[in-house]
Amino acid sequence: MTTLTAPVGITVNTSVTLVAMVTLSAALVFGLALMPRPSRATVTWSVGFGIAMLATYVWVAANQFDSAPLRALSSGLIVCFEPLLWLGIRAYAGKRLLWPAAAAFVLIAPTLLMASSTTAAYPTVFRVVFSAAAVFAGLAAWELFRLRISARDVVLPLALVSSAFVVVAVFGVIAGITGIGSAPGDELRMLRDINGVGILLTSQCAAVTIVLLARGEALLRGGGRSSADSRAALRARLARARQVQEPAWSLLDIRLDDPADLAEASGPAVFASIVDAFHAHVLDALPAAADVERISDVRALALLPGAEDAVRRELCVLLQRVSTIEDSGPRASVRVSASVGWAGAAAADYDLDALSAVAADAATLAQDRGGDRWERAGVSAR
């Protein structure tokens, strides 16, 4: 086998491994996340993986031809994965997407590195670009830690890898400013190698996390129970409440308003993202003691304890949270809102079927009255 004498720490064999692993990660995200579950989040993540995969092929070409501009382009494309990863996490959480910052980085970083690749300014430019990418990695880690999901261990590997990116960048900046450590050329090669290894580790962790986030909604956002198990848990809880005649239990029937109009106005991909955000905000707004069952994409049931005043406050918070979801479809003319039917457990003798029917009637009434409101069974509430 022919060995190259290019002045880089990553050899051809390692480069081929990098290509294989990143390509595999991209295939997993495309096939298991994007195709079955298109949304703003999965589309953004897939674009990031596509750019990362392209970067690895450019990396191999750069090593083959010992080309400084190609190597710089590859390094610039690799770090472009971080802002797109961050954007996808924000989209998954139903937050506003800050496209200008990410788009500016994706356009400017590779261009700057290529333009300076044959000049004495390249080491400084590389450190600046690497540090800017670390900012996005830190933001991604922050968003991951803030995600409201039950299976917290799913996001932990990617969050830790993103945090490690920040730590490496901080040490790189300190070394560059103080001049401590390796010679400038050796330090730059080390950072470039870390850049390549970093995308290898990040792509593997990101692929696993993204596929689970996209495909494991019932597990991650609903506590991991099947519908039958969830119903059994609700019945058991109501049975215990009936034994002690505990009146402070309520069933909420929570529905997304005008789902057909919303899907038509926003498109299937954006609507899927809105659905994800709807269920995330439902879980986020309700107390930890609530049992939440995802009935469909546009409907959820929640059994929760609490006095009437506490439930009213939680309902107001829930409706406000849902109203913050943004429709960013091509026309973006439909406001996102929800309607809730509220039924007290004692009113239906703690029977889940009867309680569900009463709450459903109240939810239907709330939607008939214009939506973005709650109605209590037998009482005109809001």
Side-chain angles (χ1 to χ4, degrees):
M1 181 177 291
T2 302
T3 30
L4 298 180
T5 58
V8 290
I10 292 186
T11 65
V12 172
N13 287 337
T14 308
S15 298
V16 171
T17 301
L18 181 64
V19 169
M21 297 306 293
V22 175
T23 301
L24 174 62
S25 299
L28 289 174
V29 171
F30 294 158
L32 299 180
L34 175 64
M35 299 302 293
R37 195 70 175 179
S39 67
R40 286 184 296 177
T42 55
V43 167
T44 304
W45 284 325
S46 297
V47 171
F49 269 96
I51 293 176
M53 186 170 61
L54 174 63
T56 62
Y57 287 103
V58 175
W59 185 281
V60 171
N63 283 336
Q64 291 286 352
F65 298 107
D66 193 15
S67 170
L70 284 180
R71 193 172 294 120
L73 175 61
S74 174
S75 296
L77 291 174
I78 284 175
V79 294
C80 287
F81 181 76
E82 297 298 337
L84 294 172
L85 175 65
W86 166 65
L87 276 183
I89 297 169
R90 286 186 64 87
Y92 180 82
K95 297 180 180 179
R96 185 166 63 93
L97 299 188
L98 305 177
W99 281 105
F105 184 90
V106 171
L107 292 174
I108 294 174
T111 304
L112 279 179
L113 289 175
M114 280 196 70
S116 62
S117 61
T118 57
T119 70
Y122 181 73
T124 301
V125 174
F126 184 89
R127 290 189 184 92
V128 170
V129 170
F130 192 83
S131 300
V135 172
F136 287 107
L139 292 172
W142 173 251
E143 296 290 352
L144 284 168
F145 284 125
R146 295 180 64 194
L147 279 181
R148 298 287 184 159
I149 58 176
S150 56
R152 301 295 302 169
D153 53 331
V154 168
V155 304
L156 192 58
L158 181 55
L160 292 179
V161 166
S162 298
S163 301
F165 192 122
V166 178
V167 174
V168 171
V170 169
F171 278 111
V173 170
I174 294 174
I177 293 175
T178 61
I180 299 175
S182 306
D186 293 338
E187 182 187 344
L188 187 58
R189 279 193 293 272
M190 181 185 68
L191 283 176
R192 189 186 292 121
D193 291 349
I194 290 174
N195 194 19
V197 174
I199 190 60
L200 177 61
L201 296 175
T202 302
S203 66
Q204 300 302 297
C205 295
V208 172
T209 295
I210 288 168
V211 169
L212 288 177
L213 289 177
R215 299 293 297 269
E217 289 298 320
L219 171 65
L220 299 177
R221 295 186 185 268
R225 295 183 301 203
S226 68
S227 178
D229 291 341
S230 181
R231 287 274 179 168
L234 296 182
R235 293 183 194 280
R237 192 176 292 275
L238 285 172
R240 291 195 299 271
R242 177 166 49 192
Q243 287 177 355
V244 297
Q245 289 297 302
E246 187 178 39
W249 284 91
S250 300
L251 185 71
L252 306 180
D253 189 321
I254 309 160
R255 304 184 182 189
L256 192 65
D257 289 333
D258 303 313
D261 294 340
L262 189 57
E264 181 181 357
S266 60
V270 174
F271 181 68
S273 179
I274 291 173
V275 165
D276 291 344
F278 165 68
H279 286 282
H281 288 328
V282 167
L283 283 178
D284 188 41
L286 295 178
D291 286 300
V292 182
E293 178 185 358
R294 179 168 175 162
I295 304 299
S296 68
D297 281 351
V298 298
R299 184 185 176 207
L301 283 181
L303 181 65
L304 68 159
E308 292 185 6
D309 290 343
V311 175
R312 285 192 181 92
R313 287 194 298 270
E314 287 153 3
L315 283 170
C316 291
V317 171
L318 189 154
L319 293 176
Q320 192 276 330
R321 291 280 180 85
V322 173
S323 68
T324 63
I325 300 173
E326 293 185 353
D327 166 25
S328 60
R331 289 178 289 276
S333 58
V334 179
R335 179 174 177 269
V336 181
S337 64
S339 295
V340 183
W342 171 19
D349 195 27
Y350 303 91
D351 180 81
L352 180 61
D353 294 331
L355 196 58
S356 298
V358 172
D361 290 341
T364 301
L365 177 61
Q367 290 186 320
D368 291 343
R369 291 181 173 176
D372 193 22
R373 61 188 294 130
W374 56 267
E375 292 289 343
R376 187 171 183 184
V379 180
S380 178
R382 177 173 180 263

